[in-house]
Structures are given as structure tokens and as C-alpha cells.
Amino acid sequence: MGVFWSFGTTRPPRQVCLASRLGARKYPRRHLWKEEPPQDREIRGQVKEEGYKISREKFPWLRMEDVVGSSAWVVSRSSHVKVDSVALEEVIVEIEGSIPKIEWDFEGIHYFDNGPLTVQYLLVLDALNFCFWPDKDLSYDHLALGLKEALQNDKSALDADRLQSYTGPELREMLKWPRPLPLEDERARLMHEVGLELDRSFGGKATNLVKASGNSALSLVALVTKHFPGFRDHSLYKGHQVFFNKRAQIFVADLWNAFKGKGFGGFYDISSITIFADYIVPAVLRQLGILKYCLSLSTSVDSNSEIGSGTEEEVEIRACSIYAVEKMRELLKSKYGKQVLSLELDLWLWCFGVKDPSLKHHRTLSIYY
């Protein structure tokens, strides 16, 4: 995965202390309580019963503030996961308000030609970017590199008309994977959905989708979730709708990173994008002591038991992760005057997580992450 900072100094930098939290502890400190968690008073004060209302627009998932707002609503009522504000502040102090800069494609696994094919590639990549864990040998890298090599061998491999005809075994062959992929039929279905809607509404080109956003990250997420149902990542929690939009947001972030904030990746409101609530980042936050799970949830996660999609436990894990990283951003700004994007924090935490094969993450079969 590469080295993010040097360890060859007489006085280790603060980031080394943070790395020790992640790598040297078999059991994370203070990551568990034995009874129902006490509710965080600060959170309760910020999000009261009437403090958040779901948008009643035709497409309620189009408003990005719903991701932050609905996540905060979950945190204020969470009974299985708690955000430890003290531990969160300790982490910010330990890194002295600075996170290492990590290049998006530091492994060289993504296709990039600085043009329209890259945009097409990223949309397809993010349509399929979910649920690798059921196959212990499969990872995101295999998907990214497999699609990259397919495009290098055949520039029309991801054309809209061809996307509509791929079968699961053909996708598997494209990725050079020797056995059925997790949720393989769903992956093929989502390829068909992307190809069909690109043809129907955007002339077959993902670049037209991006151009229609008017350089707005929020608008692009709205367009993606409006036109491609497979990107509509939301759940019901205690009668309220909760929004995550992980893959729609990561498409925006991938464009921004790949094109370095220019051209197809130029978004004036990129700071509106939250973290991408998956299974790696929550595991890292738990290892750091920022997220604490109740005893039953800790047992499920540590024993690799599957947690149902849309259950209270799963929604709380994802919502608390979003809330915690938004709080990290606020602390970095208020304590150190640092303007850090949530997507930068996400990449940093994610890179920590994928480096640690022993990291225990929750397991949920889902097309959304």
C-alpha cells in the first residue's frame, strides 16, 4: 500500500502514535461498553425531535444535506453504536491537526486517459464497487484493474450498448476472476441499468451526465441517484429515511481525484461530499476508539457474523461513521485552522484499514457498499 510517512526519525511523529493504535493493539481500547450506551448530550442538543425532517420532494435522495442531517438523527437515537467525542478529539490532537496526503491512484490500478473514456470507466467502476468480502481473495483492486485492462484491450468495452448485454460470467471473464463473483447477477443487472439509462438520457456518454451537473458535486449526485436506481443508497431507521449515497458520492470524488479538480473533475462544492460509508472506515474508527459498539454488536462483528442490510445495527454503524468524520473536520478547522475535505479523511482512513488484514469489519450483503 505504500508508506505514508517516515519512521526513521529520532522522535516519532504524532502519526506514528496513531498508527500504533491501529496496528499494535489486538483489541482496540475502550471500543466496547457492556450495557446500553448513554446518549451523547451534545448530539441530543443539536438534533431534537423536530430538528430534522425528510424532504418531501419527488426525489428525496437528491439533497446532500440529507446525508449529514439524517445521519445525525440516527446518532441521537442510536442504541448499538456510540460516537466517543473524547476519543475523537484525542485522535485529532495525536496527529497534530495534520493528515498525510495520499494520492488517489498511488497503486496504479485505475484507467486514466484524461478524457471521456476515464469518465465512462469511473461510472461503471462505481456502479460495481460493492461487497467484495464474501470472497476472501477478492478486493476492489481486482475490479479497478480488471476494468482498466479491459478498456486498454478494447476501447469500446464499456460502451453503453455493450453494458446492456453483459452477463455475470462475461463480467467475471472481463475481470479474469476464476469463480462466481459475490452478488454476480446484481452486478450484471447494474451494468445493464447504467448502459440503458446512458443511452436513453445521455447519448450513451457518461461525460454528458457530468456536464449536466454544471460543475456541482451536489447536482451530479442528484442526477446519478435520479437516473440510476441502483445508486439510491438509503434505509429506514425507526420510521425515518436515512441517506448514505455511498457510490454516487464516490463517483464524484473519483472524478475530482482523477482529474485533480479540473475539467470533468471540477466541482465548486466538492466540500459537500461526505465520507463513503462502507465497512472499512467504520472498522478503523472503531479501532481508534471513536466508535464503540454494544456487547452484542461487538460479538457479531468479531465473530464475522453477518449483519442484515437495513437493520438498526447496520444503519447505526454507517450513520455514526459519517457523523464522526464530520466532527473530525470541524475539530481540524476549529483547533488547527485546517480545511480538510471529508473525502480526504475517508481516503486516509480507508488506506489504514486495507493495510491491516486482521481488521474486523461488519459483514453485510449489500449492493450499496
Side-chain angles (χ1 to χ4, degrees):
M1 296 299 297
V3 178
F4 303 139
W5 48 75
S6 170
F7 289 84
T9 57
T10 55
R11 179 181 178 276
R14 289 281 187 173
Q15 287 94 332
V16 174
C17 299
L18 179 58
S20 70
R21 282 199 191 198
L22 288 162
R25 300 175 186 271
K26 183 176 180 181
Y27 301 100
R29 71 158 184 73
R30 302 201 314 270
H31 75 286
L32 170 67
W33 71 90
K34 294 184 179 179
E35 299 177 354
E36 289 287 287
Q39 297 302 321
D40 191 305
R41 291 179 185 173
E42 177 189 1
I43 298 171
R44 275 204 177 278
Q46 290 174 357
V47 187
K48 298 185 178 179
E49 187 66 34
E50 301 299 326
Y52 175 75
K53 296 189 178 187
I54 299 298
S55 168
R56 302 301 180 186
E57 297 174 4
K58 183 177 180 182
F59 299 105
W61 50 85
L62 304 190
R63 295 167 58 84
M64 187 52 58
E65 57 265 33
D66 288 344
V67 175
V68 176
S70 61
S71 292
W73 194 92
V74 171
V75 173
S76 70
R77 291 154 179 82
S78 175
S79 58
H80 305 91
V81 183
K82 182 180 181 295
V83 178
D84 188 325
S85 300
V86 174
L88 191 153
E89 189 161 357
E90 287 177 357
V91 169
I92 297 302
V93 170
E94 282 193 19
I95 64 174
E96 296 180 342
S98 180
I99 65 169
K101 188 70 175 177
I102 301 171
E103 287 297 321
W104 170 71
D105 193 31
F106 61 92
E107 294 174 299
I109 59 174
H110 296 98
Y111 180 86
F112 184 73
D113 66 351
N114 202 33
L117 264 184
T118 297
V119 181
Q120 196 90 355
Y121 163 82
L122 291 175
L123 180 61
V124 176
L125 172 67
D126 292 322
L128 304 177
N129 180 8
F130 58 86
C131 205
F132 302 101
W133 62 263
D135 188 325
K136 63 182 179 62
D137 298 318
L138 183 66
S139 71
Y140 168 81
D141 291 10
H142 295 103
L143 175 66
L145 188 58
L147 294 177
K148 173 185 177 178
E149 291 177 347
L151 263 187
Q152 288 174 330
N153 294 328
D154 179 358
K155 299 298 185 186
S156 68
L158 302 183
D159 283 2
D161 58 338
R162 294 185 62 180
L163 290 174
Q164 296 172 56
S165 64
Y166 282 118
T167 65
E170 286 172 339
L171 172 60
R172 191 192 319 161
E173 183 180 355
M174 181 188 297
L175 302 182
K176 299 176 182 175
W177 198 247
R179 52 188 173 271
L181 299 161
L183 299 177
E184 185 172 273
D185 290 343
E186 282 296 289
R187 286 184 155 91
R189 182 185 67 80
L190 292 171
M191 291 179 82
H192 300 167
E193 178 183 281
V194 168
L196 180 63
E197 187 58 20
L198 283 179
D199 256 351
R200 181 164 52 195
S201 299
F202 300 101
K205 305 296 184 184
T207 50
N208 291 333
L209 168 68
V210 174
K211 289 173 183 176
S213 72
N215 299 110
S216 167
L218 296 183
S219 293
L220 184 51
V221 171
L223 283 167
V224 170
T225 52
K226 176 181 177 180
H227 285 275
F228 305 97
F231 281 87
R232 294 176 192 163
D233 177 10
H234 51 95
S235 296
L236 280 177
Y237 178 83
K238 297 183 178 179
H240 283 69
Q241 207 161 9
V242 183
F243 302 87
F244 299 110
N245 291 336
K246 184 259 186 182
R247 292 194 287 103
Q249 289 200 87
I250 208 169
F251 174 54
V252 174
D254 282 345
L255 288 168
W256 184 80
N257 277 306
F259 291 93
K260 301 190 182 301
K262 299 177 181 178
F264 293 119
F267 303 106
Y268 61 82
D269 54 350
I270 192 65
S271 63
S272 302
I273 297 298
T274 70
I275 66 159
F276 319 119
D278 61 0
Y279 43 89
I280 298 298
V281 171
V284 175
L285 292 172
R286 181 189 180 213
Q287 189 83 317
L288 290 171
I290 294 172
L291 293 189
K292 292 188 171 65
Y293 296 173
C294 69
L295 180 58
S296 61
L297 180 56
S298 282
T299 300
S300 295
V301 172
D302 293 340
S303 63
N304 295 328
S305 299
E306 188 175 327
I307 296 172
S309 178
T311 59
E312 287 191 2
E313 291 89 341
E314 189 240 3
V315 173
E316 289 176 15
I317 288 171
R318 301 184 76 197
C320 287
S321 298
I322 290 171
Y323 179 89
V325 176
E326 290 301 309
K327 284 296 174 187
M328 291 177 77
R329 282 184 70 190
E330 291 177 14
L331 280 173
L332 285 166
K333 183 177 180 181
S334 62
K335 276 185 162 296
Y336 297 97
K338 300 287 181 67
Q339 294 278 5
V340 180
L341 298 174
S342 292
L343 62 89
E344 293 174 318
L345 287 167
D346 181 276
L347 182 58
W348 173 55
L349 293 166
W350 185 83
C351 285
F352 262 125
V354 295
K355 283 177 60 181
D356 183 1
S358 67
L359 190 70
K360 290 290 187 179
H361 62 76
H362 74 283
R363 293 168 182 257
T364 296
L365 276 176
S366 171
I367 67 167
Y368 297 118
Y369 65 99

